[in-house]
Amino acid sequence: MSRFEGVVVSDHWLQSQFTQVQLRSLKSKFIALKNQNQQVLVGDLPALLVKLKPFSQMFKEDEITDILCASGFDTSNEVDFEGFLRAYVTLETLAATKSGDLKSPTSFLNETTTTLLHTIDESEKKSYVAHINSYLRDDPFMKQFLPIDPATNELFELARDGVLLCKLINVAVPNTIDERAINTKRVLNPWERNENHTLCLNSAKAIGCTVVNIGTQDLIEGRPHLVLGLISQIIKIQLLADLNLRKTPQLLELVEDNSDVEELMGLAPEKLLLKWMNFHLKKAGYKKPVTNFSSDLKDGEAYAYLLNVLAPEYGSPATLDAKDPVERADLVLSHAEKMDCKRYLTPKDIVEGSSNLNLAFLAQIFHQRNGLSADNKNISFAEMMTDDAQMSREERCFRLWINSLGISSYVNNLFEDVRNGWVLLEVLDKVSPGSVNWKQATKPPIKMPFRKVENCNQVIKLGKQLKLSLVNLAGNDFVQGNKKLILAFLWQLMRFHMLQLLKNLRSRSQGKEITDADILKWANKKVKITGRTSQMESFKDKSLSSGIFFLQLLSAIEPRVVNWNLVTKGRTDEEKKLNATYIISVARKLGCSIFLLPEDIMEVNQKMILMLTASLMYWSLQQSKDDAELSPSSVAETPEGSPEASFNGDDDNHVDPEISKLSIEDVASDTVVIGHDDTSL
């Protein structure tokens, strides 16, 4: 079971400077410093602080000692955890001043997950509340709490139980969460709230949100800047969902010839939205290019020209003739309302250049009327899009996995964004810390092609050092965008990462490598010791398509997590999909960071089955804190099998000792990955 606990600091101001994820990480490092007398001295802190990311490139160890002494710390005195946090904040403030970054001296959260200086933009809050009230007003459970009053903190109070955020994720990307897995009682206990937020954060990762440095405790506490930051990302994903060539092939009209299609495919949704706007503005005779969602839109002129092109029947000369920007902005919003665009922002928001709200407004206009026409170009585009469903799921999986690692880059289009090698180097540095020689790497934008090749050659070199199978793979294959080889390389890297994480949890393994066979044996043993008879012969065992085995495995590692009244017998495709969807949500609810789709379970994709099993094994080992359950002698008498065992049928229990080894020749399908899940308490 996910443990409901948080690091509590007696000084509320001091606690407010950190997220729960940061506090847990710093506390574990602090405890590791304790000497034989279970004490930590101030003099011990510089050696630790100089290794931490915010300070490693900023200070030397002796400089940190001098700073602490100047701040009133005596190096010979004992220091408690709160004293350590105060030293950290002092050093962080100086680091921010030294670097010239005065925006957020006491927070190193990603900007995508928080608002500046932990303040709340009331206009944004009002807009997001209106969005929630509109899209969830008919939800059977949420309608009893809606509408939310934007003038109060009701939004943050309502978010404390996690149900609102889970529902909002399903609005953004339908069917991401099996709502049967959400705890929706009127009053939830702490365990149930924690489960909802764990499900929320792992599902948010699975749709592309950046949730690094956000923990379940942060959401349970209703920290406004974090809640609003997460809601902002979820809504943004919903609004930009159609800004890609797959869903809106008419976007090809934005380019003059097919040679520009690759560039178009590589654009982030925000950039594509701007390109679309400028395309129509050029036709309208508007001379100034719009390069951002803030200053370029403040006077409202660009909006007026755009709407006159898209919906001339609602246009009025008065809009452009208006001298007052606020008046013009109001006329623009009235024009948009006639196109069925909901008024989520005010004229003042436009005039003040609210970037997030302008982006949302423009995306809404695109959704209602994009003004693009279908022509023969779409036929040639369809011929280009030769990716099968498996490759499409694969691209999605690796893209989400990479974005979940917390690297500085954000991947919008996997095949385009990895071609310069930089993203792959960042991933390698996460998977194998310290392995990348950054002095020999070139950071984007990269104009010289040979620099891209150099980056990719280092990727290949490091891959070989990790003993990945890279036969016939060269750096230039990445630069050229060879999709199958890119996917195969990333599959191996994910698998390596997962096996290393499992190995690190096996404290008694003395360096012994974890194998696919170990994972298979663990899963079968966990199910067997609960008194059930179903087993899987291999990761491609067709009987797994029903989902019953994985539901039994989930129940074995956490008995209360599966509601067997919701489980089908998995005989028809419809029943299999219900079970598969439930499996994914229950696993995320436990704390597994996974990116597979129900189809992967239904089709028994062996690589995805391997990763799903490994993810459950990783979570289970995290709870046990040792590898006793991996030992052959650990099989013990267990409780009687649950009624659900009746679903087993006549499964063959023989375990195939030959577990397939997946290599560069095996092109992975959309997968699931495990990682150090900092969102689970």
Side-chain angles (χ1 to χ4, degrees), residues 5-9 15 17-27 81 109 213-221 223 226 678-679 681:
E5 59 185 39
V7 178
V8 179
V9 179
Q15 175 141 6
Q17 306 311 302
F18 303 90
T19 68
Q20 278 295 320
V21 172
Q22 293 164 344
L23 286 172
R24 289 197 300 275
S25 175
L26 290 174
K27 188 161 189 177
F81 179 59
L109 293 174
N213 292 327
I214 302 181
T216 55
Q217 186 68 16
D218 298 312
L219 299 180
I220 289 169
E221 291 171 2
R223 304 183 90 182
L226 292 175
D678 287 331
T679 64
L681 297 184

Side-chain angles (χ1 to χ4, degrees), residues 445-650:
I446 304 174
K447 295 182 179 180
M448 304 299 291
F450 74 92
R451 295 295 185 191
K452 299 179 183 179
V453 176
E454 286 179 347
N455 281 354
C456 293
N457 282 342
Q458 186 177 175
V459 170
I460 298 297
K461 178 183 176 182
L462 296 175
K464 290 179 178 178
Q465 290 175 5
L466 297 179
K467 298 182 180 179
L468 306 184
S469 174
L470 304 179
V471 179
N472 297 324
L473 182 62
N476 199 49
D477 291 317
F478 293 142
V479 177
Q480 296 299 320
N482 187 312
K483 294 181 179 180
K484 287 190 175 183
L485 294 180
I486 288 171
L487 295 175
F489 175 79
L490 284 171
W491 154 249
Q492 290 193 86
L493 201 54
M494 285 178 67
R495 180 175 174 275
F496 171 84
H497 187 214
M498 174 267 293
L499 293 177
Q500 285 299 109
L501 290 167
L502 286 172
K503 177 183 174 182
N504 292 341
L505 286 179
R506 293 184 65 173
S507 57
R508 305 173 195 170
S509 63
Q510 298 181 339
K512 179 185 176 184
E513 298 295 331
I514 297 284
T515 66
D516 298 352
D518 291 326
I519 298 170
L520 183 74
K521 290 176 182 176
W522 171 85
N524 281 328
K525 183 185 298 182
K526 291 298 288 186
V527 172
K528 183 178 180 180
I529 62 178
T530 61
R532 304 182 182 101
T533 58
S534 64
Q535 301 274 275
M536 63 172 167
E537 294 184 357
S538 70
F539 296 114
K540 54 184 177 181
D541 186 338
K542 294 301 180 183
S543 68
L544 299 175
S545 66
S546 70
I548 299 301
F549 178 83
F550 285 112
L551 288 164
Q552 292 178 346
L553 179 58
L554 282 161
S555 184
I557 62 178
E558 177 45 70
R560 64 178 290 277
V561 78
V562 176
N563 181 349
W564 287 97
N565 294 324
L566 303 176
V567 176
T568 74
K569 294 186 177 181
R571 291 173 179 167
T572 66
D573 286 346
E574 183 180 355
E575 288 184 344
K576 289 178 180 178
K577 187 159 189 176
L578 283 170
N579 283 352
T581 305
Y582 189 53
I583 289 166
I584 292 170
S585 289
V586 169
R588 287 176 180 153
K589 184 176 178 178
L590 274 182
C592 299
S593 179
I594 57 177
F595 305 105
L596 84 168
L597 294 172
E599 290 78 7
D600 294 312
I601 298 174
M602 296 169 65
E603 296 170 8
V604 193
N605 183 313
Q606 65 170 340
K607 291 181 282 294
M608 302 313 105
I609 295 298
L610 165 63
M611 299 302 280
L612 173 59
T613 311
S615 180
L616 297 175
M617 178 178 178
Y618 182 74
W619 183 87
S620 180
L621 291 180
Q622 280 184 307
Q623 313 314 304
S624 65
K625 300 299 183 185
D626 60 48
D627 62 340
E629 59 185 293
L630 293 175
S631 169
S633 62
S634 65
V635 179
E637 294 298 323
T638 57
E640 294 180 7
S642 302
E644 64 269 18
S646 62
F647 289 146
N648 292 342
D650 299 321

